[in-house]
Amino acid sequence: KTIDPKFRAYLVETTQGRVHTGLLVSKSEQEVVLKDAAGKIIRVAGDDIEMIFAQPKSLMPELLVKDMTAKQLADLLAFLESLK
């Protein structure tokens, strides 16, 4: 229903028209640092930023579990709960 702010995806468009999406690592007047879905760090100089805004969705792929059986999904949830 809601996305924890630390997992909110951000979109950065540069003055050259490039678009980067990722989790916000840091933001200052000098630079914005994102981490993309593959874990790659993207640094964009403050002067090169045309716009930056938070995305309404997370980086989690949609329908991630659509090909899983009910048992596989239950096993995955049990495993994730065991990590607490």
Side-chain angles (χ1 to χ4, degrees), residues 14-35:
T14 69
T15 55
Q16 296 83 26
R18 290 188 172 175
V19 176
H20 303 285
T21 304
L23 299 178
L24 186 64
V25 175
S26 66
K27 179 182 174 187
S28 69
E29 288 187 27
Q30 292 78 27
E31 160 181 84
V32 169
V33 180
L34 300 175
K35 184 191 288 187

Side-chain angles (χ1 to χ4, degrees), residues 35-47:
K35 184 191 288 187
D36 72 9
K40 178 182 170 192
I41 297 295
I42 301 165
R43 297 178 182 278
V44 182
D47 293 342

Side-chain angles (χ1 to χ4, degrees), residues 52-69:
I52 180 172
F53 60 93
Q55 298 284 79
K57 295 185 177 186
S58 73
L59 291 178
M60 180 70 71
E62 291 186 29
L63 303 174
L64 186 63
V65 297
K66 77 174 183 102
D67 294 326
M68 296 177 76
T69 66

